[in-house]
Structure formats: C-alpha cells, structure tokens
Amino acid sequence: MYNVKSHKAEEFIDHEEIVATMQWAAENRNNRPLIESIIEKATECRGLSHREAAVLLECEEEDLNERIYTLAKEIKQRFYGNRIVMFAPLYLSNYCVNSCTYCPYHIANKTIPRRKLTQQEIEAEVVALQDMGHKRLALEAGEDPLHNPIEYILESIQTIYSIRHRNGAIRRVNVNIAATTVENYRKLKDAGIGTYILFQETYNKARYETLHPRGPKSNYAWHTEAMDRAMEGGIDDVGIGVLFGLEGYRYDFVGLVMHAEHLEAACGVGPHTISVPRICPADGVDVGDYKDAVPDEVFHKIVAVLRVTVPYTGMIISTRENVASRAKALELGVSQISGGSSTGVGGYVDGQREEAHSTAQFDVSDTRTLDEIVRWLLEGGYVPSFCTACYREGRTGDRFMTLVKNGQIANCCQPNALMTLKEYLVDYASPETLRVGLRVIADELDRVPHPNVRRIAEENLVKIEQGERDFRF
Ligand code: SF4
Ligand code: SF4
C-alpha cells in the first residue's frame, strides 16, 4: 500500500498508485478546469503532487500546454536566473559485476577493454580537467567490490581534492557509484563529497528486474532505498534520475516525482538534483531495441513539467543530448550541464584515441569543447557558472532548501557565478570567449539583489584580475 513516509521501496514507490495515477491523468487530459487549477497552483512555486504533475504531462490542450511552457521558463528565471552550472564526469573504472542490459560496462560484454585508473592516472586526468577550467566533477565507477572497493573511491576523492595545478582546483566532487551501505555513505560524507547521485534507471520493478538480471544491482529494493540510506549516513544532498526510454515515460515520470515526494516527507529534504538522461547509442546498445525511447517533444515536456513540479530542485542534462535539444532544455528548466565531457576511462588524457572511445559508457552527442560551450551559453544570454560554494559553506540539505525557498540564494548564486566565470575567463578562455564573457559580467552585475553583496563582488572581480582566486558567498 502506498505510504510516502515508509522507507520500504515498494511502499513509497507503490505500483498500484503509479498505475492509478496514470489512469487518472489520462482521464483528465482534456479537463480544462482541473488543468487550469493545477497551473494556478504551480505559479505559487510550492511544488505539485505526482498526481497533479501527471495530469500536466498528459494535457492535450494546446493553449494550456503553452501556459505550462511559459510558466516553466518563468520559474527557471525566478530561481536560477540566467545561470548554468558547469561540470564534467570523470570515469574512474569500467569494471562492473552488474548486468544492466543498456550499459556497455555490463559484465558479459567481452568486447570492451576494462580499465581502472591508478592514482597517478587520476592525477593526470584531473590536471587535464583543471586545464580546461573545470571546478566541479561527477565521479563515475562501475560496481565491483574487487576492483572498485569503497577504499579506492575514497582514495581517489582525496587525490582529486589534493591536486593544485596552476590556478586550477577541483572544488566539488559529486559521486555516482552503486547503492551501498549506510557505513559507506558515512565514509563518503566524511571524504567531503558534494552530491551523491544514483539513477533509478526505471521505477517499474518488473521491468527493472528484466533489465538487471544478475549482480547486486538486480535487487530492486536495495537500489531504490539507497537514498534513504545515504541520508541516514549523513549525506543530505542527493541526486535522483531515471534513464528515460527503458520503460514507458509516464510510469517513470510518476515514479520520479513520487521518489522526490518521499525524500521530502520521510527524510526531511527533497532531492538536490534531478537528472533526465535518455537512452542513447553505445557499444552493444541499440536504441532500436528500446521501444519506449522518448522523442524530443515529449522529452522537453517532461523537463517543463518537472520544472514547475519541483521548482527548488536543480535539473541536469548530459552530453547525451545534442546541441538543439540542450538549448531547448536549458530554456525550459535545466540548470546544470556537462561540457567538454569524456565518457571513457582515461578519456581526458587519451583524448580522441581509439582506446578512450572504446571504453565509453555512451556516445556523446554534444562534442564541443568546454570553451565552445561556454561561448555558446554566453552568446545565448546565459551565465556559465563554475560555482561550488554551497557545500563548502555548509549550505546543504534543509539549510540550502530554506535559502532557495525564501529567494536568498540569489545573493549567493549570482555573484558566485560572475566571480567563477571571471576566473574561468582569465585563466582558460579563448580571446573571443573572454571578450563576450567580460561583457556579460558587466551586464549581469546589476542582477545581484543586495547592494552590499554587489559591491563586494565588484571588488572581488578586480582582485581576480590581479591574480587572487576562490572568492565566494
Ligand atoms: Fe555497471 Fe552501472 Fe553500467 Fe550497470 S549501468 S553495468 S551498474 S556501470
Ligand atoms: Fe549552486 Fe550554491 Fe553556487 Fe548557487 S551558490 S550555484 S546553489 S553552489
């Protein structure tokens, strides 16, 4: 039976409730008074329930869909302004004992070379990432207790934080590793991670079990309850997501919103981020095998409805998406993107070498360099941000959410975005990007709400030019 506060997967992600929600949403897809009342509620920015969100996703009324898109854009502006936070994935190891049918790292795939980075190799990757200008990483590793035990992950985090190359530094390491124990989550917390990220892949238990026939990940409850354990272990910033296309999108959309509702109700704080990857080609993965692959139009509707449903939660897309799709998603609600990414083990040092490509977890659609993406964002009216301030200032979990909800976070995000962008421009940008970026900084300073904060930010921008680094609010 559905129980949002239960810590049991099958109770907070109740199959019957998802099916009933989908049915109710389908019945109301042309119910104008209901849809209008939900849109009205969404304008208050206090979030929607999974049932309300499902109706908006189903809505077939063209003018009301336009209102949903417009509202998504307004909410995006209100909470995130023009800022887009930049990050890069860092693949440590593609050894994996699981059997996920949609991932080339699955144990039965004998055609890819297996590789695990040594600490020296990690150092080289981090230097390459710092030389691109990155400050925020998402660590990725397959699940393999022999090759990638928690000690390896912890040592790697320590290595990454310790490297100072020229003006570079990785200031926030988010971690995307397999579901683990409360004790291990505590160790990750103590290692100073930012967000713990784990995608559910699909919330449909039967489908989940088909897609994960063997290995520890085949245990649906263990995987689905991971965020509850992470919170118990003291990690209060968690990132959830599904791989759209593994199951009908309606089911996973409802499951995703129910998971967010559960974390807020049972653990006191909703997810810090939601990722919206879509199934895409990779070694041994043919998108044609997945009849539920999500078309662009639906994908962008999902982004828009999520934006109005969970206004306080950051939304992330990766380089799986092509340039046009990314542009649309940014407009409708996405607040974080990766740039200049390699999805292979050792890919930043190996570059385009065949070896790096053959260890890639998925094909990258957006192959532009970080500098090209930064310039593209600037020219599109966005402010690329390399900010990592919150967790370093202790603004995590409900403390963070309170600041977001009362709007105060803008006094941190906006100046931090401008100061970290300035660092990037001075240290790493091409002359053309530098030129556009300086203009954007000058234009955007006025949007720092508090006059004192604005004045200090202005002073710090000058100091950055003079060689000082790492200012933050
Ligand atoms: Fe392993 Fe993760 Fe790939 Fe599954 S998705 S095979 S757990 S790396
Ligand atoms: Fe993110 Fe906090 Fe920086 Fe804003 S101030 S961009 S919320 S880390």
Side-chain angles (χ1 to χ4, degrees), residues 158-229:
Q158 210 176 18
T159 300
I160 293 165
Y161 278 136
S162 72
I163 297 163
R164 294 280 181 277
H165 169 67
R166 301 207 178 104
N167 280 338
I170 299 301
R171 297 171 182 160
R172 178 174 179 129
V173 178
N174 297 333
V175 174
N176 180 0
I177 60 164
T180 185
T181 58
V182 173
E183 193 192 341
N184 284 347
Y185 285 125
R186 204 161 280 135
K187 289 178 184 168
L188 287 170
K189 168 80 182 170
D190 293 344
I193 70 163
T195 310
Y196 171 66
I197 303 161
L198 184 69
F199 299 159
Q200 177 62 31
E201 320 297 7
T202 175
Y203 285 96
N204 185 325
K205 183 165 184 273
R207 181 76 178 133
Y208 181 95
E209 287 169 353
T210 309
L211 293 163
H212 307 94
R214 284 173 301 283
K217 193 169 167 180
S218 63
N219 184 335
Y220 176 85
W222 178 252
H223 188 80
T224 311
E225 292 160 9
M227 293 314 189
D228 296 58
R229 292 195 300 280

Side-chain angles (χ1 to χ4, degrees), residues 123 154 220 241 299 310 326 434 439 463:
E123 198 171 325
L154 296 171
Y220 176 85
F299 179 69
V310 284
R326 287 186 131 195
L434 174 67
R439 199 185 63 220
K463 289 182 190 164

Side-chain angles (χ1 to χ4, degrees), residues 85 136 172 385 387-391 395 400 409 412-413 416 473:
V85 171
R136 175 188 288 245
R172 178 174 179 129
S385 170
C387 177
T388 56
C390 276
Y391 102 95
R395 292 192 296 260
F400 170 79
I409 199 73
C412 302
C413 295
N416 287 343
F473 289 95

Side-chain angles (χ1 to χ4, degrees), residues 383-437:
V383 182
S385 170
F386 294 84
C387 177
T388 56
C390 276
Y391 102 95
R392 300 168 78 210
E393 291 293 319
R395 292 192 296 260
T396 61
D398 52 359
R399 203 178 149 218
F400 170 79
M401 284 298 172
T402 307
L403 284 170
V404 177
K405 287 177 184 175
N406 66 22
Q408 284 301 316
I409 199 73
N411 274 314
C412 302
C413 295
Q414 182 72 354
N416 287 343
L418 300 180
M419 293 187 301
T420 56
L421 173 61
K422 180 83 181 259
E423 286 187 351
Y424 173 83
L425 295 173
V426 172
D427 287 338
Y428 306 105
S430 64
E432 181 56 13
T433 306
L434 174 67
R435 192 183 60 75
V436 188

Side-chain angles (χ1 to χ4, degrees), residues 96 98-100 102-103 105-107 141-143 201 217 361:
C96 190
N98 285 312
S99 55
C100 316
Y102 49 84
C103 173
Y105 294 173
H106 67 80
I107 189 165
E143 178 167 18
E201 320 297 7
K217 193 169 167 180
Q361 193 187 27

Side-chain angles (χ1 to χ4, degrees), residues 43-79:
T43 59
E44 292 166 19
C45 292
R46 282 184 299 161
L48 298 177
S49 71
H50 60 275
R51 287 215 169 203
E52 292 163 337
V55 172
L56 294 193
L57 191 64
E58 276 299 295
C59 169
E60 281 182 340
E61 302 289 312
E62 222 172 287
D63 60 319
L64 296 182
N65 277 334
E66 276 314 310
R67 277 179 62 189
I68 295 169
Y69 287 123
T70 305
L71 181 59
K73 289 176 198 171
E74 279 171 17
I75 290 179
K76 167 88 198 295
Q77 266 304 317
R78 198 177 317 164
F79 288 95

Side-chain angles (χ1 to χ4, degrees), residues 130-155:
Q130 289 186 4
D131 276 344
M132 288 161 72
H134 278 295
K135 300 284 186 276
R136 175 188 288 245
L137 299 185
L139 280 199
E140 315 274 343
E143 178 167 18
D144 187 326
L146 208 65
H147 290 96
N148 319 329
I150 191 72
E151 291 72 26
Y152 170 68
I153 305 292
L154 296 171
E155 190 186 358

